[in-house]
Structure formats: structure tokens, C-alpha cells
Amino acid sequence: DGGITQSPKYLFRKEGQNVTLSCEQNLNHDAMYWYRQDPGQGLRLIYYSQIVNDFQKGDIAEGYSVSREKKESFPLTVTSAQKNPTAFYLCASKSGGLEQFFGPGTRLTVL
Amino acid sequence: AQTVTQSQPEMSVQEAETVTLSCTYDTSESDYYLFWYKQPPSRQMILVIRQEAYKQQNATENRFSVNFQKAAKSFSLKISDSQLGDAAMYFCAYRALMEYGNKLVFGAGTILRVKS
């Protein structure tokens, strides 16, 4: 089955630690996106990538980093510089059509 | 910058009745796309319906339809014959036609509760 997978579903991190969220897609999509969801604020764009080895900052990139070494993978690292990392993180991908397809999300909690 | 506003944090509807969710947006572009996404308790985002701004005809998908008013920059979602499975958070989203990255701008969402 084609789709987007995110792992883990739940992630706990101690303050001051970096953590990497996984996003993999087997849809052969060129574009991939990372969003952050907080209560009452909808989804906000963190980073996006239109092609392998290229990515751009979204609206709230501070404290995050990404890489795009393979077409199917777009991992997001939440660094210790992110002041309020507890949130729900969604990955999405898109082909040449209009629709972005979303993964199931990762809930990150900082202890 | 484009913004999307959903002024109703929560809405309730009786099963089998009709409900309308509101969305307004601000843009200086003339060509763009608008979307409604549904996020049920599983938190999986699902596309409900989309509208191309150059099309005057309102989009419909089974029980879901939109009222697109381009001049007023309004894009409301009507759900007819509401079902328990419609209970979810609904997000309105905007995408500029020619902007690099095909980025979506989301509203804050509306929680829809369906009463049996």
C-alpha cells in the first residue's frame, strides 16, 4: 500500500536533548512538508522540500532542522534551541496534483 | 502574507441536519486554491473538498458542498445530512497558484460535534 509513515507515534524527550522525527513516503512524490499543530492554532509550516537535496524554511523554522538525502525520506530534527517543542507534528507529501497527503503524525512531549 | 480565518471555534449539529462552517481569507492574488480538510479523533488529515478560484461553480462532493464568494473572500463548507462520523476538526486552507513550494496556509480550525 502506498502512503506516508511517521514514527514514532509518541515521543518523549528531556529538555536540552535533540530528537529526530521520521517521515517516509512510497508515493514517489517530489515535494514533502513538515507542519506543527498546536491547540487553537491550526497547522503551521516548519520546512518544505520540493526536490532531493533542497529544502526551504517555512514560517516557524527556528529550532528545527531537516535533510532530504532521499526522495522518500524527510526527517525533522527538533533541537534544544526550540523553546516550546511539545506539539503534534505532521508530515505531508505532494505530487504534481493539487492535494497534499498527510501522515498519521507524531506527538512530541518534552518532560 | 495570506491569512485564513475560521471564526467558529466550535459548532454543533443534530444528526441528519445541515451545518455550515465559515472561512474567510485574505490575499492579493487572483488565482489560488482553497481546501477543506477534516481531522477526526485519529488525527489523520483527510481532504474533504477543494475549489479552484477561477471556477465560478461551487464544488460539491456527495454531502459536502462549498459556497465560494470570491469578491467577499469567503469559502464556507456545508455538510448535509450530518452523520456521527462527520464529528471532527475541520480546517480551511489556502494555496497560491504560482507560489514556489505549493505551501498551504491553514485556519485555526472548527470543532464539529454531531449529536445523536
Side-chain angles (χ1 to χ4, degrees):
Chain A
D1 285 322
I4 303 173
T5 57
Q6 292 186 242
S7 61
K9 187 172 182 178
Y10 298 98
L11 188 58
F12 298 89
R13 185 194 97 175
K14 293 182 179 179
E15 277 194 46
Q17 289 181 337
N18 292 355
V19 63
T20 298
L21 282 61
S22 170
C23 177
E24 303 277 333
Q25 53 98 1
N26 60 3
L27 300 168
N28 201 33
H29 288 172
D30 288 313
M32 297 187 74
Y33 306 80
W34 273 106
Y35 294 91
R36 170 179 171 140
Q37 184 178 10
D38 295 284
Q41 294 195 48
L43 279 68
R44 292 181 291 166
L45 183 64
I46 304 172
Y47 267 98
Y48 63 102
S49 168
Q50 294 292 95
I51 196 169
V52 175
N53 292 322
D54 187 44
F55 49 82
Q56 284 75 39
K57 293 181 179 180
D59 299 321
I60 56 165
E62 185 176 352
Y64 299 97
S65 66
V66 294
S67 63
R68 186 84 188 277
E69 298 177 0
K70 298 185 295 182
K71 186 176 185 177
E72 59 269 24
S73 179
F74 191 41
L76 173 74
T77 296
V78 184
T79 74
S80 56
Q82 169 51 236
K83 295 179 181 178
N84 185 20
T86 294
F88 187 65
Y89 292 87
L90 283 159
C91 178
S93 70
K94 180 185 168 301
S95 65
L98 295 179
E99 183 179 355
Q100 286 189 20
F101 294 85
F102 285 82
T106 292
R107 173 69 182 178
L108 173 64
T109 301
V110 174
L111 303 173
Chain B
Q2 297 89 359
T3 57
V4 176
T5 302
Q6 294 179 248
S7 59
Q8 306 154 317
E10 288 191 32
M11 292 283 286
S12 292
V13 63
Q14 199 69 35
E15 200 174 3
E17 294 188 346
T18 296
V19 65
T20 298
L21 307 184
S22 300
C23 173
T24 59
Y25 57 94
D26 186 25
T27 183
S28 58
E29 303 289 333
S30 58
D31 291 320
Y32 48 87
Y33 303 104
L34 296 163
F35 305 84
W36 277 100
Y37 278 88
K38 170 185 178 181
Q39 188 181 45
S42 67
R43 306 201 76 170
Q44 177 70 54
M45 293 285 282
I46 303 163
L47 179 66
V48 174
I49 199 166
R50 68 182 186 217
Q51 174 81 40
E52 290 89 340
Y54 64 85
K55 290 186 177 179
Q56 294 185 340
Q57 186 173 7
N58 289 326
T60 62
E61 288 287 343
N62 301 314
R63 298 182 295 108
F64 299 87
S65 62
V66 299
N67 183 4
F68 173 49
Q69 301 289 328
K70 191 172 183 179
K73 296 180 182 176
S74 170
F75 183 60
S76 61
L77 174 69
K78 185 173 83 172
I79 306 174
S80 303
D81 186 25
S82 296
Q83 301 174 359
L84 294 177
D86 295 332
M89 175 80 89
Y90 286 81
F91 292 99
C92 178
Y94 164 98
R95 196 197 107 188
L97 176 64
M98 297 304 295
E99 185 181 26
Y100 179 79
N102 301 304
K103 296 175 288 182
L104 289 173
V105 178
F106 287 87
T110 297
I111 298 172
L112 178 65
R113 306 190 192 281
V114 181
K115 302 174 186 176
S116 60

